[in-house]
Amino acid sequence: MAEKSLGQKLLGTWNTKTIVAVAIGAALFGVLMVYGGIPVTTNTNLTTAMIIPVVVGAFFGPLPALVAAGVGNVIADLIGGWGMWFDWSIGNGIAAFFVGLLPVYGAYVTEGVFNWKHALIYALCVIVGNGLAFGVVTPIFTTIFYGGDLNVTFIQAIAGSISNIAVELIVGIPLMFILAARSKSRTNLKEEE
Amino acid sequence: MNNRFVINYTPGPTFLHQLSGFTKVFLFIVMTVAIIATYDVRILWPLCIISIAEIVSMKPNWKPIIFMFLFTFFTVTIIGNIMLFVVSPDAGLNNVGTETILWASASGRFYISKEWLWYIYVVWVKRTASFASVMAFALMTTPSEFASGLNKCGLPYKVCTIISLAYRTIPDIANDFVDIRNSMMMRGVELGKKAPVGKRLKNHVTLLVPLIMSSFGKVGNIANAMDLRGYGKNKKRTWYAEHEPTKYDKIVRGITIALGIATIVYILWARIIDPWPAKIWAPFVDKSAIQQVSLEESFFLFRWLKGLFNK
């Protein structure tokens, strides 16, 4: 595979396959957010949905992960019917961007490349991304959009990021190894000359 | 599970359902902006009542709506306000600008002021209005109309396809999810309240892997089918769901434009021409008595950092 430039890696390739995958990712994100969660505090769930951006990011790159999480959150708001929380959608999108950086630092999970070094960078990205998204971005938008109290929002954001980080690390890393192993067993075939 | 969905996949019979996608999306965007822009109950109540009237006019199935409303009321309002009481009893002072204490604990750490109660009332009205407008939009719009309306608002059509396709796959995913969950439960995987949280999370994960595999397994098929039909060849795209605006569409668009202009005028008036010194307007507060609270003093993290630096 030809080496792509950094910009291309960040944007991902937007062909029909990516669009369909992002759509399915968004739908999965929405369904899991509504039905696959364990409530922690208000507005935040210990939700398995946060795995979806990891998978989309691993397959297609960070920007598709961002779109999948953002659209997915809007869909979750619509089917869950708890009102539109654009602040959390934006926050989730930004967290998903960081989480989905996998191909940028060379973890090509689709080609079976994922080792402990990648897992370490992944863990860092997860922590930084969630911290930035829910510690800074979401509280700012909450106060601008909904007039939520900054103190309460911040506590919710901390609870949300900790549960997201926990899910993305405890579930995400083993899942990446499983996916990489699966892909490896399928990609070691070589075309004969 | 399916009876808890409020999304329609086929347009319903009432007046609002018959409008074109663009009209619905436009109305929803203006309503959302108007609700986000203000903290004034004199504006929020009419917006809330318009949305509730929209919902009533569509004669929906009330059961899931009431369930969702009560669920939201319980989680966001009750628990949120208990947290608010513990964390920032000074929210009234920060947002309304004055403080009239009604009750205080012996230590003075916890107290309830008239302004605090007014603050939670205003936020509740704002959230209810937001809830009602989202619900009205979800009830009146089919996914294809949503996508076509957004496209007409200027969003690239590939993004719109993502939205309509995501909606389209939700019932499939939900069915798969239920199938997988049932088969897991038959094998003795406990997903209910009986298992402790850690165990439950682990069991939810065992559910997740087959769900992700089966869902993303479909990507190739769907993408090939779309490519074969020439998807993405041209810069523009027409929508099956979008129809020519009818007489009623024009009337509703006119009302929406008026609402939009009113919102812009209100924002200009309330923020620039005659600004109210505090964030939230209250009928019992005198304008001259309002004190400004800076962000450093109201936000515990900044207070704590400041204390750290002053040492």
Side-chain angles (χ1 to χ4, degrees):
Chain A
M1 195 176 132
E3 196 60 30
K4 285 185 199 163
S5 71
L6 184 69
Q8 270 175 326
K9 278 181 193 164
L10 283 173
L11 290 173
T13 38
W14 285 90
N15 52 25
T16 316
K17 209 175 167 191
T18 318
I19 289 171
V20 175
V22 169
I24 286 179
L28 269 173
F29 191 88
V31 168
L32 286 174
M33 196 136 182
V34 179
Y35 300 107
I38 303 162
V40 182
T41 55
T42 52
N43 276 19
T44 44
N45 270 328
L46 189 59
T47 173
T48 42
M50 291 316 291
I51 285 305
I52 301 304
V54 184
V55 178
V56 176
F59 288 170
F60 297 98
L63 193 70
L66 184 150
V67 178
V71 173
N73 200 326
V74 172
I75 284 170
D77 286 350
L78 278 171
I79 59 173
W82 41 61
M84 272 286 173
W85 302 102
F86 290 113
D87 45 347
W88 290 91
S89 305
I90 295 166
N92 271 324
I94 289 170
F97 184 84
F98 278 89
V99 168
L101 283 172
L102 289 151
V104 176
Y105 49 76
Y108 299 110
V109 176
T110 39
E111 287 158 43
V113 183
F114 190 79
N115 54 34
W116 281 109
K117 198 184 84 195
H118 295 136
L120 199 70
I121 305 173
Y122 166 76
L124 269 174
C125 282
V126 165
I127 291 165
V128 171
N130 278 293
L132 185 72
F134 299 108
V136 182
V137 177
T138 300
I140 289 173
F141 280 109
T142 306
T143 26
I144 294 173
F145 286 174
Y146 302 101
D149 186 68
L150 209 52
N151 294 330
V152 170
T153 310
F154 202 72
I155 288 174
Q156 284 174 345
I158 290 172
S161 1
I162 289 172
S163 66
N164 284 347
I165 291 170
V167 169
E168 281 163 359
L169 292 185
I170 297 168
V171 183
I173 292 176
L175 190 72
M176 284 301 106
F177 278 113
I178 293 170
L179 287 177
R182 276 177 78 114
S183 308
K184 203 173 205 170
S185 62
R186 285 176 195 173
T187 50
N188 61 2
L189 296 174
K190 275 199 189 114
E191 207 176 327
E192 277 183 31
E193 300 282 310
Chain B
M1 193 153 106
N2 282 325
N3 58 3
R4 276 180 58 189
F5 283 145
V6 291
I7 323 169
N8 292 311
Y9 286 91
T10 49
T14 68
F15 168 72
L16 281 171
H17 288 124
Q18 305 291 331
L19 298 173
S20 81
F22 174 67
T23 316
K24 294 171 183 176
V25 173
F26 186 39
L27 178 66
F28 175 63
I29 290 172
V30 170
M31 285 292 278
T32 307
V33 170
I35 291 167
I36 284 174
T38 183
Y39 299 98
D40 195 332
V41 275
R42 293 169 298 181
I43 313 282
L44 285 171
W45 267 121
L47 291 173
C48 186
I49 288 163
I50 293 172
S51 302
I52 291 170
E54 283 173 11
I55 297 177
V56 171
S57 82
M58 279 182 280
K59 302 191 185 70
N61 175 16
W62 285 102
K63 224 170 140 187
I65 299 173
I66 290 169
F67 171 79
M68 282 174 186
F69 180 75
L70 291 177
F71 179 76
T72 314
F73 183 78
F74 180 73
T75 54
V76 179
T77 309
I78 295 183
I79 300 176
N81 285 336
I82 292 169
M83 268 168 73
L84 185 71
F85 173 71
V86 174
V87 179
S88 42
D90 58 349
L93 178 68
N94 299 336
N95 292 293
V96 183
T98 58
E99 206 153 46
T100 323
I101 290 169
L102 300 176
W103 172 89
S105 69
S107 64
R109 170 76 183 81
F110 301 111
Y111 56 93
I112 292 176
S113 67
K114 204 169 159 187
E115 284 78 6
W116 188 80
L117 294 173
W118 180 257
Y119 168 76
I120 62 173
Y121 164 69
V122 172
V123 170
W124 181 77
V125 175
K126 200 174 161 94
R127 282 187 179 145
T128 310
S130 175
F131 175 85
S133 76
V134 168
M135 197 50 88
F137 180 70
L139 283 168
M140 72 172 126
T141 318
T142 64
S144 322
E145 284 173 341
F146 188 16
S148 64
L150 280 175
N151 184 220
K152 219 170 168 192
C153 290
L155 212 65
Y157 76 84
K158 290 195 173 176
V159 181
C160 301
T161 314
I162 290 174
I163 292 165
S164 76
L165 201 60
Y167 270 105
R168 163 66 188 78
T169 44
I170 284 174
D172 289 348
I173 288 172
N175 283 341
D176 282 357
F177 182 75
V178 172
D179 287 348
I180 293 167
R181 190 178 59 184
N182 287 348
S183 64
M184 285 291 183
M185 274 152 88
M186 269 190 46
R187 288 175 216 166
V189 177
E190 177 63 53
L191 298 162
K193 294 228 157 62
K194 276 184 201 160
V197 175
K199 189 88 188 291
R200 230 191 300 166
L201 186 67
K202 202 177 154 231
N203 291 347
H204 271 285
V205 171
T206 56
L207 206 101
L208 205 64
V209 175
L211 186 66
I212 289 174
M213 290 303 166
S214 75
S215 303
F216 283 99
K218 291 177 198 149
V219 168
N221 284 346
I222 300 174
N224 286 343
M226 281 164 69
D227 276 337
L228 282 173
R229 285 163 181 76
Y231 177 82
K233 283 277 174 290
N234 297 326
K235 290 249 181 279
K236 269 188 173 172
R237 186 185 149 82
T238 53
W239 299 84
Y240 183 66
E242 188 72 19
H243 55 74
E244 287 293 308
T246 60
K247 193 175 80 191
Y248 299 117
D249 272 315
K250 283 172 187 158
I251 296 170
V252 175
R253 282 179 199 180
I255 297 170
T256 313
I257 290 170
L259 186 66
I261 292 169
T263 309
I264 292 166
V265 170
Y266 169 78
I267 293 171
L268 286 177
W269 176 77
R271 293 272 157 88
I272 297 163
I273 298 168
D274 180 23
W276 186 258
K279 196 152 106 185
I280 294 174
W281 172 86
F284 51 81
V285 172
D286 187 35
K287 202 171 171 179
S288 57
I290 290 171
Q291 9 171 333
Q292 297 285 352
V293 182
S294 64
L295 192 65
E296 293 102 87
E297 282 161 40
S298 62
F299 184 32
F300 71 89
L301 191 73
F302 288 166
R303 224 156 38 202
W304 178 70
L305 284 175
K306 212 173 160 188
L308 215 64
F309 281 120
N310 286 348
K311 265 179 216 168

